[in-house]
Amino acid sequence: MAHTTPVDHKVEHKSTIPANFGDKVELFVREYKPSGSGGTAKPVLMLHGRSVPALPGFDLVLPPQESSSPNPDTRYSWAQGLASKGYNVYIMDLQGSGLSPRPEMHDPCNANPASAQRGLLKTNPGTDDCDPEANYKAQLGNSRSEWDELGAVVKFIRKRCNNEKVAFIGWSAAAFVMGPYALQRPDDVASMFLLAPVFPPNGRWSTNPSDPFAPPPGTPLPTKPVTEPKAAFGFPMNLTSKAGLQAVIPDKEWADHVWQAIMDCDSIGQKWGGPTPGAPEGVMRWRNSYWWGWNKSTVPHGPTPGTLGSTVPVCIVYGDQDRTANTPEEMGPVLHFSVPKLYNAIPGTDKLMIRVEGWDHNPVWEPKPNQTLQHMSWKWLQGKRVYGVETGSWVMDTDGVLAEVE
């Protein structure tokens, strides 16, 4: 089914980020609606992770591959691929990312003071006059503010889509936002498809360690930001250089396309970085968030027993070479991540996990894995079945053959 051109929206929201608490902001949302759907297409919402904005991850468009074809190559846009299958697809940026507001991130002196990061700005725009600490000495977002922003966009989508539940697709740290949101508001969520979800089995419960779970939606969040420890939360913004991104993308040409897509989403970041004065190379600016409410103790919670895996079916896909979403236990409770432990913590039976041999944390940026991902997510949305399986833990080899994990 042919898709329409993108329609970009600005979703109004009253911010709950401490840096701009109470301000009216506009969240960036891109929509792809299949032509001829007559308003009946099922809605899908795609959410980015910690550092990469939504469009470079979900709507990557390459230049024309042949001189005889003037049209850009849209095959690797995950969002457009799903729209072509008949879904009403939305892509969003949280505050601090992409084309949504980035409070306190305009100031280069608010970059992570660590020398490896702030040093990226030493020449463009220059940080010699910065204090050793950031000017805004706190983290930017947090779990409550990001759940609130996701909720605002879900409400916007449901209003446009005959109040249909929304299917979630999230990559990496999007799990910190979509997972707890689904636990608290399962009536909003049709299903979840999580790519390489970041999950700390023994992670933080809430802003107050004595709370059994994060406060319910609508509970006012204290405006006092998290500031300690300073090395982790004493600043609002992290940076990644072009070389840093290229190091995680095997194909240099693809890496260039991804970097350009990131720069297209950041009019300030594209003017920073690089060793040559007046010739910026660009940096990827990303929010520093304080997360809680996503661990082996909270996952079984919900309005009904076993919300995840019953009211909200869950499909998890990850690569066996992923060292970002799977880290050693020695990293400690906050930084030890495990995809299999997320699957095991989900109490319901409507859950499916596929470990793909040869994939790392970024399969969206490799041609064959990208196409496989599009197909897997489409099949999950279509009938909660991927390559003929509905539940259980499976491994897929490089030939696409599935075997159940004992």
Side-chain angles (χ1 to χ4, degrees), residues 172 196-199 318 322-327 337-340 361:
S172 188
V198 176
F199 176 73
Y318 75 104
D322 189 338
R323 302 295 180 260
T324 299
N326 291 287
T327 58
F337 307 138
S338 172
V339 178
H361 195 64

Side-chain angles (χ1 to χ4, degrees), residues 152-231:
V153 173
V154 168
K155 182 178 179 181
F156 169 80
I157 294 171
R158 296 196 71 179
K159 186 175 181 180
R160 292 174 58 85
C161 298
N162 299 321
N163 206 34
E164 289 273 3
K165 288 186 176 183
V166 181
F168 282 178
I169 292 179
W171 179 18
S172 188
F176 273 106
V177 188
M178 287 182 154
Y181 183 92
L183 284 169
Q184 297 170 79
R185 300 183 183 180
D187 290 344
D188 279 345
V189 187
S191 66
M192 286 203 299
F193 182 96
L194 299 177
L195 169 64
V198 176
F199 176 73
N202 303 306
R204 305 181 191 96
W205 282 63
S206 73
T207 49
N208 182 346
S210 66
D211 290 345
F213 191 57
T219 302
L221 180 75
T223 56
K224 182 180 179 181
V226 177
T227 60
E228 296 291 340
K230 291 181 180 179

Side-chain angles (χ1 to χ4, degrees), residues 13-23 25 95 102-104 136-146 148-149 207 220-227 233 235-236 287-290 292:
H13 173 64
K14 187 174 182 180
S15 180
T16 51
I17 287 180
N20 61 352
F21 193 89
D23 290 354
V25 298
Q95 285 196 86
R102 303 194 192 208
E104 300 295 342
Y136 181 79
K137 300 174 177 59
Q139 106 296 342
L140 187 66
N142 57 67
S143 285
R144 170 56 56 207
S145 69
E146 294 182 0
D148 290 344
E149 290 169 21
T207 49
L221 180 75
T223 56
K224 182 180 179 181
V226 177
T227 60
F233 299 111
F235 54 90
R287 74 202 189 285
N288 187 18
S289 286
Y290 182 90
W292 68 82

Side-chain angles (χ1 to χ4, degrees), residues 83-140:
S84 72
K85 298 295 185 181
Y87 292 93
N88 198 169
V89 182
Y90 295 84
I91 317 167
M92 72 169 290
D93 278 319
L94 295 164
Q95 285 196 86
S97 184
L99 295 169
S100 284
R102 303 194 192 208
E104 300 295 342
M105 291 175 64
H106 62 283
D107 182 355
C109 294
N110 279 336
N112 185 335
S115 58
Q117 290 212 21
R118 190 177 282 180
L120 297 174
L121 308 182
K122 185 175 179 61
T123 302
N124 299 305
T127 51
D128 287 342
D129 294 333
C130 294
D131 292 334
E133 296 181 4
N135 287 342
Y136 181 79
K137 300 174 177 59
Q139 106 296 342
L140 187 66

